[in-house]
Amino acid sequence: MYDFAVVGGGIVGLSTAYALQRRYPRARLLLVEKEARWAAHQTGHNSGVIHSGIYYKPGSLKARLAVEGRRALITFCREHGVPHDICGKVIVATETGELPRLDDLHQRGLANGLNVTRIDGARLREIEPHAAGIAALRVPETGIVDYVRVSETLAHLVAAAGGDLRLGTRVRRVVERNDGLSVETDRGDFPARFLVGCAGLHSDRLARQSGLRPPLRIVPFRGEYYELRPEKRHLVRHLIYPVPNPAFPFLGVHFTRMIDGSVHAGPNAVLGGKREGYRKSDVSLRDLADVFSFPAFWRLAGAHWREGRHEITRSFSKAAFVRSLRRLVPEITGADIEPTHAGVRAQALMNDGRLADDFVILTAPRAVHVCNAPSPAATASLAIGETVCGYVAERVPSA
C-alpha cells in the first residue's frame, strides 16, 4: 500500500509530491498522470511568467503563496540549472480613467512586500521605448522561465528519491476502503492511505469521485496567443501589461518575452468548448453540458456579457486583437504577428455565481484536493505544495 497517491502531473502535482517526499522521506509515494508526458495541460500552455504577486488581495492565499513561491522557484531554478530571467515588467495606464486603478495596484503591491514603483510616461519609454502610456508601474520582481523544464526537473527529483511515477495512467474512480482508499485506473488499482488531488481541469470531478461535494465547478476558458515575427521582437524588451479590470479575473492581453527570446501577445479569454480544447473546433458535449447545466454559469454570463462579447470578438477578429495590442505598443500591425499556441485556464465558478478569485483547497479525512489553481499557480507551485503538505500533516501526522 502507498502512503500517498498524488493525482495530476502538472507543476502543482509534482511540487506537492516533491514536498511530501521531503517531509515524509520514508513514505511510499505514487504519482499518476493520464498523459504521456509531464505538464501537458495548464503548465505546458501558459506564458512562462514568474509572477510577482502584485495583483492579489493582501492576506489571500494567492498573494502569500505567489510571493513565497516566487522566491522558492528562483532558488530551485538556481540550484538545478533551470534557465530563468528576472527581467521585470511594466503595467501601463494608457488613459486617465485607469490612473486610480493603477494607484490601487501600487498600494496592493507595496502591501504584498514588492519593490514596485510608479513611473511617468517618459521613464516608461526609457524602459520600453515602443510602449505608449501616461503612467506605469515598474515591477522588478517579475520574471520568465520554462515551466515544463521545471516540471521535468521535479519529476526527476521525485523519482530519484524513490517515488513511483506513472505516466499514461488515467484515474477512473476513487473508492473508500476500511484501511484507506483504492485509486482505480486504466492501468490497475492502487491502494493508498491518503489521496492528494491536483487534477487541474478535472479537479472538481476528482473531488466528487472521492466523495466530496465541492461548492464549485470548473469552467474552461481558452486563451489564444499571437507571436511577434522575429524581425519585430525588438518592439518589446521585457513584459508589458495593461491595467486589469478588477471585476474580471483576467489580466488582459499583454506582451511577454519568453525564455527562448520569442515574444508572445495575449491571451484573450473565451469560454472553451472542451476542458482540454486548445482549438476553436475542440468540443466536448459532456464538458459543455457541465457548464450550461450549472445555474451559476448563467448568473456569471448575465453579469459579464459585455466583457464576454469583447473577448469573443477578439477571438475571431485579428484586427480587434491588434487594436488591443496597439493600446500598449502603437507600432504593432497585423502583419507583425502570427498565431501561436493556446492555453486553457481551469477557472472555478462558485455555486453562487462568483468566479473564485483565490486558490481553493478542499479537505476530507483521507484526501486534500487543490480545486482552483489558475495563474499564478505555476509561480506559486512550490509554496502550494508545502501548503498542501501542511493540510496532509494535520490528517497524517506520520507516514
Side-chain angles (χ1 to χ4, degrees):
M1 175 180 285
Y2 292 96
D3 294 294
F4 304 111
V6 180
V7 178
I11 196 168
V12 172
L14 288 161
S15 293
T16 300
Y18 179 66
L20 286 168
Q21 276 191 325
R22 294 202 295 173
R23 181 169 297 207
Y24 301 102
R26 297 182 180 178
R28 293 193 66 212
L29 182 141
L30 169 73
L31 190 153
V32 296
E33 162 57 44
K34 65 184 176 64
E35 305 296 350
R37 58 189 174 88
W38 306 115
H41 291 294
Q42 288 188 104
T43 306
H45 290 83
N46 69 23
S47 60
V49 175
I50 301 174
H51 287 282
S52 65
I54 189 172
Y55 298 106
Y56 316 117
K57 182 179 178 181
S60 66
L61 272 179
K62 275 190 176 182
R64 180 170 63 83
L65 299 185
V67 172
E68 293 176 6
R70 170 175 50 80
R71 294 170 181 157
L73 176 64
I74 293 168
T75 299
F76 181 90
C77 290
R78 289 171 178 165
E79 289 179 351
H80 298 284
V82 178
H84 61 290
D85 181 12
I86 309 305
C87 56
K89 78 172 179 183
V90 289
I91 302 172
V92 178
T94 58
E95 55 189 49
T96 57
E98 294 176 329
L99 293 177
R101 282 187 277 148
L102 191 75
D103 291 335
D104 289 344
L105 267 184
H106 187 197
Q107 294 306 312
R108 181 166 285 193
L110 294 175
N112 288 336
L114 304 179
N115 186 29
V116 57
T117 55
R118 195 180 192 280
I119 59 176
D120 60 17
R123 177 62 180 138
L124 168 65
R125 281 177 284 281
E126 291 177 7
I127 298 168
E128 290 286 354
H130 302 277
I134 57 176
L137 298 180
R138 175 79 172 112
V139 190
E141 289 94 339
T142 303
I144 52 177
V145 71
D146 181 348
Y147 283 115
V148 173
R149 177 82 173 270
V150 175
S151 300
E152 291 169 346
T153 303
L154 284 166
H156 172 77
L157 293 170
V158 172
D164 186 358
L165 276 59
R166 307 283 184 109
L167 289 167
T169 304
R170 182 184 297 269
V171 174
R172 297 187 188 277
R173 64 175 182 162
V174 178
V175 180
E176 287 269 0
R177 297 163 31 133
N178 290 335
D179 57 347
L181 304 157
S182 178
V183 181
E184 299 184 358
T185 79
D186 58 359
R187 297 290 184 92
D189 301 343
F190 302 94
R193 293 174 58 197
F194 200 90
L195 175 75
V196 180
C198 301
L201 286 153
H202 300 281
S203 57
D204 58 334
R205 291 173 176 168
L206 180 65
R208 287 195 292 271
Q209 288 174 355
S210 306
L212 289 176
R213 299 183 65 183
L216 53 83
R217 191 167 297 182
I218 294 298
V219 176
F221 285 92
R222 189 179 67 254
E224 298 153 331
Y225 289 86
Y226 283 86
E227 181 178 354
L228 264 63
R229 296 186 184 279
E231 63 272 19
K232 294 295 182 176
R233 291 175 181 172
H234 69 278
L235 295 176
V236 177
R237 288 184 173 179
H238 305 106
L239 287 77
I240 307 174
Y241 279 64
V243 178
N245 178 354
F248 209 47
F250 306 103
L251 298 180
V253 295
H254 49 269
F255 292 93
T256 305
R257 181 171 291 279
M258 309 291 281
I259 201 69
D260 64 1
S262 62
V263 177
H264 287 190
N268 61 345
V270 295
L271 179 66
K274 185 179 180 181
R275 292 201 182 194
E276 295 168 359
Y278 301 101
R279 297 169 299 181
K280 291 183 177 72
S281 58
D282 288 338
V283 174
S284 163
L285 294 180
R286 179 194 180 191
D287 292 347
L288 285 177
D290 260 1
V291 172
F292 294 145
S293 66
F294 192 33
F297 171 75
W298 297 106
R299 289 195 287 273
L300 174 74
H304 293 290
W305 66 270
R306 289 182 178 84
E307 293 93 341
R309 180 180 63 185
H310 182 56
E311 296 291 336
I312 291 170
T313 299
R314 276 199 302 218
S315 177
F316 287 92
S317 169
K318 183 178 181 180
F321 206 106
V322 170
R323 283 196 295 273
S324 295
L325 298 177
R326 285 173 58 85
R327 294 187 69 234
L328 298 174
V329 180
E331 294 174 52
I332 293 289
T333 70
D336 297 333
I337 61 173
E338 53 191 0
T340 182
H341 73 285
V344 179
R345 175 189 178 112
Q347 175 64 53
L349 176 60
M350 309 305 291
N351 288 348
D352 61 6
R354 292 180 300 108
L355 289 169
D357 61 358
D358 203 356
F359 297 141
V360 176
I361 301 174
L362 303 179
T363 61
R366 294 175 174 172
V368 174
H369 290 272
V370 181
C371 282
N372 189 58
S375 179
T379 298
S381 56
L382 291 168
I384 293 173
E386 292 292 340
T387 299
V388 171
C389 239
Y391 284 114
V392 172
E394 294 172 0
R395 291 155 181 80
V396 186
S398 62

